[in-house]
Amino acid sequence: MTTRGALRELLALREFRAMWIGSTASTAGDQLAAVALSLLVFERTQSAAWTALTWSLTLFPPLISGPLLGWVADRFPRRTVMVTTAWLQAVLMATMAIPGMPLWAMIVLLVVVLAISSPYLAAQEASLPHVLPPKRYDDGVALFGTSVDIAQMAGLAAAGFLVAHSSPGLALAINAATFAVLAILVQTSVKHRPAADPLGRKKKDDEPRGALTLMVSDPRLRTLLGVRLLAGLAMVPEGLAVPLAVSLNAVWAVGLILAIEPAANVLGVALLFRLVRDPAKRERLIGPLAILSLAPLIMFAFNPNLTWTIVLLVIAGIGGAYHTPARSAWMRLLPDQYRGRAYGIGRAALRSSQGGGMALAGVVAHSIGSVTATIAGAGGIGLLLATQATFAWRRARGHNDTKAVAI
């Protein structure tokens, strides 16, 4: 989290304030809708399988739409993209809230809503370097990231209470309203800017052929993306939360284990930005913090009790704060005309690593019959990769401060 002075300065920026408020409210609303729809599916089908499938659908659409639709945020004015997609999501979510809507139609609409969130998020992320002054860019990214974590936790916590005391339809309607508020805030507060890479623009001879080519060919971008993909290993305990809690004879602690990662990450970002004010110094800590996010997992080889499990997960979660300066540095290094497409690809890769890591961990834990050994193995592999990434990042930076692209 940012300091009080930085927070006041950020919230004084009308464009940023509107994007931040709208995005935070919409994120909380998304959690309400996800829980409400899952409960609605269970009520109508009485099937745990269909309920789990519906929940999993909230993860998959962005994996496809991110790489396929990220270009929209570069080819068209970004405010237009954000407003249009937010209104579309509001209309689709309101349609889902209509009483008696067939279940299959609701699921189809949910997939579409989640798919078109990708160009919105790409346009939002690519707009932040223009909306924020350079000296406050890292603070703005940190505030966005921590607010999303808090909004997700608050939305999930409120969802059960709201649905239990009203109806799933009300939660869906509330989420539709948050999208409408988001669209209005962006339309009235964010400046119109021309498209960064309009259709028909002739490329220069020295420009890379695509965002993926740029990301792979630039050692700094490649290393930053690689170090962020280590999240797939860091989130193994979260993927194994239920069997881990059972092995500790503390089934009641499942929710606690799941909540530790986002809560500790918020704490880690707060500490990082309070103790290290210089963005260049925070970038130098990306590697060491990545190591810290994985090294504690090795200690699960000693079958820690619940108390030590919580301590180890908190330390690892604090280390996960490295994602914030890595995300800022990555976006600064990208030329403006590639930011939307690169964000879409990067987000899909990150989601894939997280989902794939947790799924693979489940298979391994089942095969070897040990949850703690699986977590320790993920920590050991992650530690080796994080150490390698640390040296690669130092080489890529040339031991100098990262040079930002012209904004």
Side-chain angles (χ1 to χ4, degrees):
M1 195 77 74
T2 55
T3 61
R4 288 185 181 179
L7 181 61
R8 283 196 297 268
E9 190 173 336
L10 287 171
L11 296 183
L13 300 170
R14 183 181 178 185
E15 290 185 276
F16 177 82
R17 184 174 66 245
M19 292 169 63
W20 173 67
I21 292 174
S23 180
T24 303
S26 179
T27 297
D30 286 345
Q31 308 311 306
L32 289 177
V35 173
L37 187 58
S38 296
L39 291 175
L40 190 61
V41 168
F42 187 75
E43 285 177 4
R44 294 191 186 181
T45 66
Q46 294 299 306
S47 168
W50 277 106
T51 305
L53 177 62
T54 301
W55 185 267
S56 68
L57 281 175
T58 64
L59 302 175
F60 288 111
L63 301 184
I64 300 172
S65 62
L68 291 182
L69 298 179
W71 62 271
V72 174
D74 294 328
R75 303 298 193 186
F76 298 96
R78 286 163 181 158
R79 186 185 72 173
T80 302
V81 172
M82 288 189 284
V83 172
T84 302
T85 51
W87 276 121
L88 281 173
Q89 289 174 300
V91 171
L92 293 172
M93 193 59 65
T95 304
M96 290 173 61
I98 297 174
M101 178 66 60
L103 199 55
W104 66 266
M106 296 179 72
I107 293 174
V108 170
L109 290 172
L110 174 66
V111 170
V112 177
V113 167
L114 294 170
I116 61 178
S117 69
S118 293
Y120 176 87
L121 292 171
Q124 175 182 266
E125 190 78 7
S127 296
L128 286 178
H130 297 278
V131 167
L132 293 165
K135 69 174 183 176
R136 288 299 178 211
Y137 177 67
D138 286 52
D139 294 309
V141 170
L143 182 58
F144 250 92
T146 53
S147 297
V148 165
D149 283 336
I150 293 171
Q152 287 176 336
M153 290 186 287
L156 288 172
F161 177 83
L162 179 65
V163 174
H165 290 79
S166 56
S167 69
L170 177 59
L172 296 173
I174 290 174
N175 194 31
T178 64
F179 283 123
V181 169
L182 176 60
I184 293 170
L185 285 171
V186 172
Q187 178 68 51
T188 57
S189 300
V190 177
K191 296 177 183 177
H192 173 82
R193 295 177 177 88
D197 188 21
L199 289 169
R201 183 183 73 88
K202 201 169 184 180
K203 290 188 178 293
K204 299 176 182 178
D205 292 337
D206 59 345
E207 282 191 77
R209 293 183 179 180
L212 182 59
T213 302
L214 174 64
M215 291 161 56
V216 172
S217 61
D218 188 309
R220 295 171 299 176
L221 294 172
R222 185 174 64 244
T223 303
L224 285 171
L225 180 59
V227 77
R228 293 204 68 194
L229 295 184
L230 293 175
L233 293 167
M235 292 187 69
V236 164
E238 192 170 338
L240 298 176
V242 173
L244 177 60
V246 170
S247 70
L248 293 167
N249 296 315
V251 178
W252 60 268
V254 171
L256 176 61
I257 292 171
L258 289 171
I260 286 175
E261 192 273 335
N265 186 258
V266 170
L267 175 61
V269 173
L271 291 172
L272 178 62
F273 276 72
R274 181 165 293 277
L275 299 176
V276 185
R277 302 295 178 86
D278 184 2
K281 291 181 179 179
R282 288 196 293 264
E283 288 182 13
R284 287 196 287 271
L285 289 174
I286 289 174
L289 287 174
I291 291 173
L292 181 63
S293 73
L294 290 154
L297 303 188
I298 297 175
M299 300 303 294
F300 277 85
F302 299 99
N303 297 309
N305 59 24
L306 180 60
T307 300
W308 278 107
T309 292
I310 293 171
V311 170
L312 292 172
L313 292 180
V314 167
I315 295 172
I318 290 173
Y322 80 87
H323 285 281
T324 297
R327 172 183 168 186
S328 301
W330 195 67
M331 192 58 68
R332 273 200 303 266
L333 288 165
L334 283 165
D336 189 33
Q337 65 268 31
Y338 290 96
R339 284 175 178 156
R341 283 163 287 177
Y343 176 80
I345 296 170
R347 181 169 179 256
L350 183 59
R351 286 290 188 92
S352 297
S353 75
Q354 292 170 333
M358 289 189 285
L360 181 59
V363 173
V364 172
H366 178 76
S367 299
I368 67 176
S370 174
V371 173
T372 53
T374 302
I375 295 174
I381 295 171
L383 178 60
L384 291 175
L385 294 175
T387 302
Q388 182 183 19
T390 299
F391 289 109
W393 176 233
R394 287 180 180 176
R395 288 194 301 269
R397 294 180 74 246
H399 302 285
N400 294 317
D401 291 339
T402 302
K403 294 182 180 180
V405 217
I407 295 176

